[in-house]
């Protein structure tokens, strides 16, 4: 579907992609950052501070031996065996509502791993779109799941903006490869010092 089927986007979806790309470019081009230690030596991570924003942004990139469509499909599909198996490490629950082939609503409940802090709900709308040789996947806050899935008692509603870029960097006659880049800004809300929030960046 991602590779072969034409997708038609509403003006609202196009605007969400535009905002996501703008956010990503600001993070990628920022000179105000410091490197983060990554558990995977093939994945480069940094912590970016954008002018006018009090919370920092996690940014990482890696090269994957697979085509961009496959990388995007792996990220976009939330109910795959690998994704469900990984829930126990950082998410306690997830809900997905597909809207069409390129957009969905996504509820993710996370255990932050800090004693005394409640679980955080992140409620987002996710949209992907092809742009020349790369694909973009943008997540932005949404209230569209609030009626169907009300907040559980004790949970705290967080805020997030996340953008993925999947870029084909294959050379003729060589292994198919994709440069995957990821930028995310997360506000876990509540009475939590910003230094603690910023320390959570590498977990996302």
């Amino acid at each position: 579907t991602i590779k072969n089927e034409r997708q038609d986007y509403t003006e609202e979806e196009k605007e969400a992609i535009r905002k996501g790309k703008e956010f990503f470019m600001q993070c990628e081009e920022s000179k105000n950052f410091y490197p983060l230690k990554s558990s995977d030596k093939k994945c480069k991570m940094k912590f970016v501070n954008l002018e006018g924003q009090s919370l920092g942004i996690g940014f990482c990139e890696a090269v994957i031996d697979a085509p961009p469509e496959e990388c995007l499909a792996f990220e976009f599909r939330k109910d795959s065996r690998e994704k469900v198996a990984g829930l126990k490490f950082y998410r306690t629950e997830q809900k997905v509502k597909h809207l069409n082939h390129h957009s969905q609503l996504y509820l993710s409940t996370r255990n932050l791993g800090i004693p005394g802090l409640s679980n955080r709900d992140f409620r987002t709308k996710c949209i992907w779109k092809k742009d020349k040789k790369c694909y973009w996947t943008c997540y932005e806050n949404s209230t569209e799941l609030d009626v169907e899935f009300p907040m559980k008692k004790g949970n705290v509603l967080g805020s997030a903006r996340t953008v993925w870029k999947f870029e084909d960097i294959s050379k003729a006659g060589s292994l198919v490869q994709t440069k995957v880049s990821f930028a995310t800004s997360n506000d876990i809300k509540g009475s939590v010092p910003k230094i603690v929030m910023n320390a959570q960046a590498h977990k996302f």
Side-chain angles (χ1 to χ4, degrees):
T1 298
I2 291 171
K3 189 172 183 178
N4 299 316
E5 293 189 13
R6 171 187 168 86
Q7 303 294 315
D8 294 314
Y9 295 81
T10 65
E11 291 303 315
E12 181 183 16
E13 290 173 333
K14 292 177 182 177
E15 179 63 9
I17 292 290
R18 186 195 67 76
K19 288 181 178 178
K21 289 169 67 175
E22 184 179 76
F23 165 75
F24 180 94
M25 295 300 185
Q26 289 177 330
C27 299
E28 186 177 46
E29 296 170 3
S30 174
K31 304 300 182 183
N32 187 10
F33 69 88
Y34 62 84
L36 289 174
K37 184 178 180 180
S38 173
S39 58
D40 184 346
K41 63 181 181 181
K42 295 182 180 180
C43 181
K44 298 179 181 179
M45 299 173 62
K46 63 182 180 181
F47 190 73
V48 180
N49 286 288
L50 293 183
E51 185 177 351
Q53 292 196 23
S54 58
L55 288 176
I57 296 156
F59 190 93
C60 63
E61 58 185 23
V63 174
I64 309 297
D65 296 336
E69 295 86 2
E70 187 174 330
C71 296
L72 168 56
F74 182 83
E75 162 53 25
F76 191 73
R77 185 181 174 189
K78 305 301 182 185
D79 58 353
S80 66
R81 183 177 299 175
E82 295 91 343
K83 287 291 183 65
V84 173
L87 284 178
K88 61 183 178 181
F89 295 110
Y90 52 92
R91 296 176 190 153
T92 62
E93 184 181 17
Q94 69 174 15
K95 301 290 184 183
V96 181
K97 185 174 183 178
H98 297 282
L99 302 176
N100 51 53
H101 286 313
H102 58 259
S103 66
Q104 62 188 4
L105 301 175
Y106 181 48
L107 162 60
S108 172
T109 302
R110 293 175 178 260
N111 181 334
L112 299 177
I114 301 176
L117 288 189
S118 302
N119 287 342
R120 260 53 178 182
D121 272 10
F122 293 91
R123 296 165 177 258
T124 57
K125 189 170 188 176
C126 167
I127 305 166
W128 68 261
K129 193 174 187 298
K130 186 176 183 180
D131 179 14
K132 297 180 181 179
K133 286 188 67 177
C134 66
Y135 291 88
W136 296 87
T137 304
C138 303
Y139 292 77
E140 63 178 12
N141 294 320
S142 174
T143 60
E144 294 179 59
L145 285 175
D146 289 359
V147 174
E148 190 172 354
F149 301 107
M151 285 276 292
K152 290 186 176 180
K153 186 177 181 180
N155 284 8
V156 175
L157 180 62
S159 174
R161 176 177 289 281
T162 298
V163 180
W164 292 81
K165 181 183 180 183
F166 305 95
E167 182 179 7
D168 187 349
I169 58 171
S170 305
K171 296 181 180 179
S174 65
L175 181 70
V176 176
Q177 292 186 315
T178 298
K179 180 181 177 182
V180 180
S181 306
F182 169 82
T184 184
S185 174
N186 296 273
D187 186 345
I188 60 177
K189 303 294 185 179
S191 301
V192 181
K194 288 184 172 57
I195 190 172
V196 175
M197 292 194 195
N198 288 340
Q200 294 288 305
H202 72 283
K203 295 183 180 181
F204 284 86

